[in-house]
Amino acid sequence: MHSDIDSVIHTLKVQRTLPDGEILSLLEGACAQELREEAESVAAAQFGRGVWLRGLIEWSNVCRRDCLYCGIRRSNAGVERYTLSREEILSSCERAYGLGLRTFVLQGGENPQAARGLVPVVAEIRSCWPDAAITLGLGELPFDIYAALRKAGADRFLLRHETASEAHYARLHPAGMTLRSRLECLRELRRLGFQVGMGMMVGSPWQTPRDLLADIRLLEEFRPDMIGIGPFIPHPDTPLGSFPAGSAELTLRLYSILRLILPDALIPSTTALSTIMPGGRKAGILAGANVIMPNFTPLPRREAYALYKGKASTDGAEQLLDIQKELASIGYHIAPGRGDFITH
Ligand code: 5AD
């Protein structure tokens, strides 16, 4: 016989969903330890204690949006804006590939003109490294640009929904940005054949447990291939700069809950988590995450790509060695290959 606590988690594992009240009780901290252990065992059964690496290249901090939480928002005049050149992008890919990575993630501010300029660069990456996956995170773009990027050889697209509650979304974003438009983009990306990633910040200003419940329901319904979740971290040069950071503990609980709901999902242990929690990267893996995204942005540009304050960062071979050691210390290893979404 299971105790009450065990039976909630057992039900979640078997049915891959739970009634609202029980999800809320898990979010509020009920059976945190059991939840984590169950999620880790599900991830280990799916992925054999292998963790995929993605080489993150922050290709541009030019952004037309003015999201109230984000350090590279348009009205932050303190940011030195840059867009990496073709050569800088290719040499970042080359470094990442040389160290064994088989996914490049080009992430940047929302900037349709520059995104269009990226199309031939994506084609070049595709032809130089045919066995590597290309992931993009470029915001909401006109659909013809998504299509051109897909045709050029991009495989995956990350577009966090940030919060699944319309009202909450409206408080975090300026007038004119809507959750609906973001979801339309995600549906189009999927239609174009991209593997898609979505996700939210944890502990963003005004977020309630009900908002997180709505996030979980949206993820259950949409079933993205990848789920990016990190704590909100205030950036002093933004309107939300004096709000407190989100909780690492709650972020970990969400990794675990979502691992049980979507056992096959690719879930990164995010940089934001390790920024607010020493040992956060390992803790994320032990809570059910299975992806780590080391940074391959050319060092001189890193500082200008500050979405939030105090972002954790190292570089190159040293960075990978750290990850390798950290994973080994908990019985995990770096998994080879692209690490595409696969239904088990
Ligand atoms: N704290 C945490 N995450 C942030 N992001 C942007 N600003 C912040 C912040 N202050 C996240 C958003 C975005 C992703 C690229 O970075 O979720 O989708």
Side-chain angles (χ1 to χ4, degrees):
M1 271 299 283
H2 292 292
S3 72
D4 273 6
I5 288 176
D6 287 345
S7 92
V8 169
I9 293 168
H10 185 74
T11 308
L12 179 57
K13 183 178 161 187
V14 173
Q15 302 191 347
R16 299 184 181 175
T17 188
L18 280 177
D20 288 359
E22 286 168 8
I23 295 275
L24 288 169
S25 82
L26 292 179
L27 288 174
E28 275 149 19
C31 38
Q33 169 82 0
E34 292 86 343
L35 178 65
R36 192 189 61 64
E37 285 169 8
E38 203 64 71
E40 196 214 351
S41 89
V42 167
Q46 300 287 122
F47 309 105
R49 297 204 152 77
V51 172
W52 280 295
L53 301 188
R54 319 303 198 192
L56 177 64
I57 303 167
E58 293 153 330
W59 83 284
S60 174
N61 64 2
V62 179
C63 191
R64 66 173 171 176
R65 298 293 190 185
D66 221 12
C67 307
L68 274 67
Y69 45 84
C70 184
I72 64 167
R73 65 200 301 268
R74 189 184 59 213
S75 23
N76 185 1
V79 177
E80 197 182 313
R81 304 287 167 171
Y82 73 87
T83 300
L84 296 185
S85 65
R86 164 192 169 275
E87 289 74 19
E88 285 175 301
I89 296 170
L90 293 175
S91 78
S92 301
C93 292
E94 193 167 15
R95 281 194 307 133
Y97 191 92
L99 289 168
L101 278 81
R102 294 295 177 268
T103 295
F104 311 126
V105 180
L106 299 183
Q107 184 182 282
E110 188 176 302
N111 180 352
Q113 222 178 343
R116 219 180 269 287
L118 202 55
V119 172
V121 184
V122 168
E124 216 172 331
I125 297 172
R126 174 46 61 242
S127 73
C128 287
W129 297 285
D131 60 338
I134 303 171
T135 303
L136 304 174
L138 309 173
E140 295 181 29
L141 297 171
F143 290 176
D144 66 302
I145 303 183
Y146 285 154
L149 290 163
R150 173 82 186 120
K151 197 157 163 251
D155 305 280
R156 309 181 188 141
F157 205 103
L158 307 172
L159 183 62
R160 288 196 184 170
H161 66 278
E162 313 297 357
T163 172
S165 143
E166 288 274 5
H168 187 219
Y169 193 97
R171 298 185 83 170
L172 297 177
H173 299 97
M177 281 182 80
T178 62
L179 177 62
R180 183 198 299 194
S181 145
R182 192 143 295 202
L183 295 177
E184 278 167 12
C185 288
L186 283 160
R187 278 190 283 271
E188 176 65 9
L189 288 162
R190 179 162 269 179
R191 200 189 63 76
L192 288 165
F194 283 101
Q195 291 170 49
V196 297
M198 54 203 291
M200 62 283 186
M201 288 179 290
V202 176
S204 57
W206 310 291
Q207 184 181 61
T208 65
R210 290 253 159 217
D211 294 327
L212 285 172
L213 175 64
D215 290 319
I216 291 171
R217 296 300 184 219
L218 177 64
L219 293 166
E220 263 179 1
E221 184 198 322
F222 198 95
R223 314 190 74 76
D225 308 280
M226 304 167 281
I227 305 175
I229 299 174
F232 163 74
I233 304 176
H235 187 297
D237 304 328
T238 64
L240 305 182
S242 48
F243 281 84
S247 143
E249 187 49 48
L250 181 54
T251 304
L252 293 169
R253 246 177 277 151
L254 282 155
Y255 291 173
S256 298
I257 293 171
L258 288 161
R259 170 60 62 213
L260 296 178
I261 294 176
L262 297 165
D264 300 316
L266 296 156
I267 305 179
S269 181
T270 51
T271 310
L273 173 63
S274 44
T275 299
I276 63 159
M277 178 190 186
R281 199 159 57 184
K282 270 201 278 204
I285 300 301
L286 290 172
N290 66 330
V291 169
I292 290 174
M293 298 174 66
N295 199 329
F296 284 88
T297 310
L299 275 174
R301 300 301 195 183
R302 296 255 184 113
E303 209 173 317
Y305 200 90
L307 305 183
Y308 44 81
K309 202 70 189 163
K311 209 169 74 171
S313 175
T314 51
D315 192 49
E318 186 195 343
Q319 169 178 224
L320 290 204
L321 209 58
D322 280 354
I323 294 173
Q324 206 169 27
K325 280 194 218 145
E326 226 176 279
L327 290 178
S329 77
I330 53 171
Y332 280 73
H333 59 272
I334 294 173
R338 295 172 30 135
D340 286 293
F341 177 85
I342 294 167
T343 304
H344 289 83

